[in-house]
Amino acid sequence: QTAVSEVDVDAVRNQLPGCDVQFSLPEERTYRFSNTESLGRVYVPSTNSAGGRAWAFWDDLSGALTLPGNAPLRVELSPTGWEQLALIAESIGPSIESLSTDHFPAVAVDFSPLMSMEALRHVELLGAPPPAFLESIAQSSTKDLDISSAVWTSVALAAAPILPNIEQLTISGSIATLPAPERLGIFPSLSTLAIHAQDFVMPAPDAVPALTVTTLDLRGCRVSEESGSALAAALPQTEVLFDPITTRTLQFPDALSVGSVWTRNAESPSAPWSLIGNARGTVTVPESHVVRLDVSTQSPGSLAALRSIDSTAIHTLNLTGATVTDDSLQPLLRWTALRDLDVSG
């Protein structure tokens, strides 16, 4: 049930000569894009170690791109990719289920092709979007919107049009407290509000905003049993989800950011990862959560810094796009908690 090629299967058979490797090759489709610059990255459905759904890196969005059958896609667009949005929508657009980006181009872009992507359900934004982007999302089929706290506080979102189809909103990063109901007015169909923030501060019981969402998910925040129960009592019409937690600290180099730290509940392996922040200095994470470290490919010393990280700290290590050698992976030999390692790209 995983998208594989014959080359992948041959490699597994060579490593596991006594194992019966069962697989099926999906029908393939090939598209051609510019060879000069990548428009982004393409992911296909896979399964994680617990059997839940995950996205696995497939290929760069450049040159000849061969995709498996009619599998849904997750696409991370580069600024150049946004400039070629019409081409992408016309080719692989019908299969794009999830779309993410952290940078928009400086030049004006026609975002209207988003409205033609009928399979698009999830959009993730780490960078503040242009007004024209939000106008197109308002007329698209997008149901789930994941945004960083920087986007939430941006002028662009404050002036955004009504987004009538958004049913789930996730805010990650640094958000001080619950959003005011008037800020959520642009989401008339909103039923689930999820907040993943390390520095979240629970409001006093007499200052809880009158939220009208069906579900308030605070499992990505540090919430005590007492404050979580008080909030649930103050919002009787809303299901308040939280994990009473204790915390632990991770120590990273003070001089540079190794990358980004993400966590999720150890008992919910199919749940999405929540962004905690930069892997720099002392980072506090929930005791009951496992940790994912996405190593920065922009920081020259990030791989070398792996030697100083506690051996029990990291569950999942993402080295996608990094230049990996045998020597750079030596520190992992002592990482007793490591379960997932991604060195694709």
Side-chain angles (χ1 to χ4, degrees):
Q1 298 181 13
T2 302
V4 295
S5 67
E6 289 185 90
V7 174
D8 296 328
V9 174
D10 287 341
V12 172
R13 282 175 170 159
N14 289 335
Q15 296 175 37
L16 303 173
C19 181
D20 177 20
V21 182
Q22 300 181 7
F23 68 100
S24 59
L25 291 177
E27 295 182 4
E28 294 183 339
R29 46 196 171 125
T30 300
Y31 305 91
R32 296 198 174 276
F33 299 95
S34 169
N35 291 310
T36 58
E37 187 173 0
S38 174
L39 305 182
R41 299 166 65 84
V42 178
Y43 296 76
V44 297
S46 183
T47 53
N48 57 28
S49 56
R53 188 183 184 189
W55 292 104
F57 174 70
W58 184 260
D59 204 350
D60 283 327
L61 194 55
S62 62
L65 175 65
T66 300
L67 295 171
N70 294 316
L73 305 176
R74 172 182 171 86
V75 176
E76 296 178 355
L77 282 183
S78 68
T80 304
W82 284 111
E83 296 176 26
Q84 299 294 322
L85 182 59
L87 172 63
I88 294 170
E90 184 179 351
S91 53
I92 63 174
S95 298
I96 296 179
E97 181 180 294
S98 177
L99 190 63
S100 70
T101 189
D102 54 1
H103 293 293
F104 287 93
V107 299
V109 171
D110 177 15
F111 294 104
S112 62
L114 292 171
M115 296 183 284
S116 67
M117 297 182 184
E118 296 182 357
L120 186 62
R121 293 293 179 271
H122 171 258
V123 170
E124 180 179 3
L125 299 175
L126 297 179
F133 173 84
L134 294 172
E135 291 171 3
S136 293
I137 288 296
Q139 302 178 62
S140 74
S141 57
T142 304
K143 301 290 185 185
D144 300 341
L145 182 63
D146 286 11
I147 59 177
S148 68
S149 56
V151 176
W152 174 249
T153 58
S154 68
V155 175
L157 194 64
I162 297 296
L163 300 173
N165 297 323
I166 301 299
E167 298 175 356
Q168 176 168 322
L169 174 66
T170 301
I171 308 174
S172 301
S174 178
I175 177 170
T177 188
L178 294 174
E182 56 267 23
R183 286 296 311 276
L184 298 175
I186 63 173
F187 308 106
S189 300
L190 189 66
S191 61
T192 299
L193 173 63
I195 297 178
H196 300 156
Q198 182 183 10
D199 57 352
F200 178 79
V201 177
M202 187 69 69
D206 58 353
V208 175
L211 300 178
T212 58
V213 293
T214 303
T215 303
L216 176 61
D217 189 346
L218 298 179
R219 287 176 292 184
C221 303
R222 292 181 291 180
V223 178
S224 68
E225 178 72 44
E226 180 181 2
S227 60
S229 299
L231 180 62
L235 295 171
Q237 305 303 317
T238 298
E239 180 185 18
V240 179
L241 305 176
F242 66 96
D243 295 324
I245 56 172
T246 55
T247 61
R248 58 192 171 103
T249 58
L250 308 177
Q251 195 64 45
F252 297 97
D254 292 322
L256 61 89
S257 173
V258 177
S260 57
V261 176
W262 302 70
T263 70
R264 71 179 176 201
N265 194 308
E267 298 181 358
S268 303
S270 61
W273 292 95
S274 301
L275 176 63
I276 298 298
N278 286 328
R280 182 172 185 170
T282 302
V283 177
T284 302
V285 299
E287 181 67 42
S288 61
H289 286 205
V290 293
V291 176
R292 185 184 99 198
L293 174 62
D294 290 1
V295 173
S296 171
T297 60
Q298 307 300 318
S299 178
S302 56
L303 285 177
L306 298 181
R307 299 181 182 278
S308 64
I309 297 175
D310 183 80
S311 62
T312 63
I314 307 301
H315 173 278
T316 298
L317 181 63
N318 182 6
L319 296 173
T320 302
T323 301
V324 176
T325 65
D326 289 345
D327 287 342
S328 65
L329 294 181
Q330 286 297 314
L332 307 190
L333 294 177
R334 62 181 184 82
W335 283 18
T336 57
L338 187 65
R339 295 295 178 269
D340 291 323
L341 173 64
D342 187 349
V343 292
S344 59

